[in-house]
Amino acid sequence: MKKYFEYIGETDRTKTGETAKFWEITLEGKTVSVRFGKLGTNGQSSVKELDSTDAAKAYADKKIAEKTKDGYLEK
């Protein structure tokens, strides 16, 4: 599973000005990879290995819910 999200809106810290950023999550077995950053850049990435495929799916679902709650939209 691979999902890509974008957020375009007010900056988180100052609530003034605009920001445009992306967040991408990939789930492969027990591995969850996340890539994020400003639109137009390669961004940063992190990889998390969980104990089981069910735990990895639950972790990915939780992170997706957090991002959509923060205003990220799936593209």
Side-chain angles (χ1 to χ4, degrees), residues 4-5 7 19-24 35-45 72:
Y4 178 84
F5 299 81
Y7 176 84
T19 186
K21 47 192 176 178
F22 71 91
W23 184 80
E24 179 181 79
R35 190 171 66 90
F36 59 96
K38 290 184 179 182
L39 286 177
T41 69
N42 288 330
Q44 303 175 43
S45 60
Y72 281 77

Side-chain angles (χ1 to χ4, degrees), residues 23-48:
W23 184 80
E24 179 181 79
I25 190 164
T26 305
L27 174 63
E28 294 178 357
K30 300 188 296 184
T31 305
V32 179
S33 303
V34 174
R35 190 171 66 90
F36 59 96
K38 290 184 179 182
L39 286 177
T41 69
N42 288 330
Q44 303 175 43
S45 60
S46 66
V47 178
K48 185 170 181 109

Side-chain angles (χ1 to χ4, degrees), residues 10-75:
E10 290 182 339
T11 59
D12 294 333
R13 293 188 183 115
T14 62
K15 301 292 183 196
T16 59
E18 291 278 315
T19 186
K21 47 192 176 178
F22 71 91
W23 184 80
E24 179 181 79
I25 190 164
T26 305
L27 174 63
E28 294 178 357
K30 300 188 296 184
T31 305
V32 179
S33 303
V34 174
R35 190 171 66 90
F36 59 96
K38 290 184 179 182
L39 286 177
T41 69
N42 288 330
Q44 303 175 43
S45 60
S46 66
V47 178
K48 185 170 181 109
E49 185 81 22
L50 287 104
D51 293 333
S52 68
T53 56
D54 289 339
K57 173 88 168 88
Y59 177 80
D61 290 343
K62 178 183 172 187
K63 291 299 181 184
I64 290 168
E66 288 173 2
K67 289 300 180 183
T68 54
K69 182 181 175 187
D70 288 345
Y72 281 77
L73 300 175
E74 187 171 1
K75 298 291 177 176

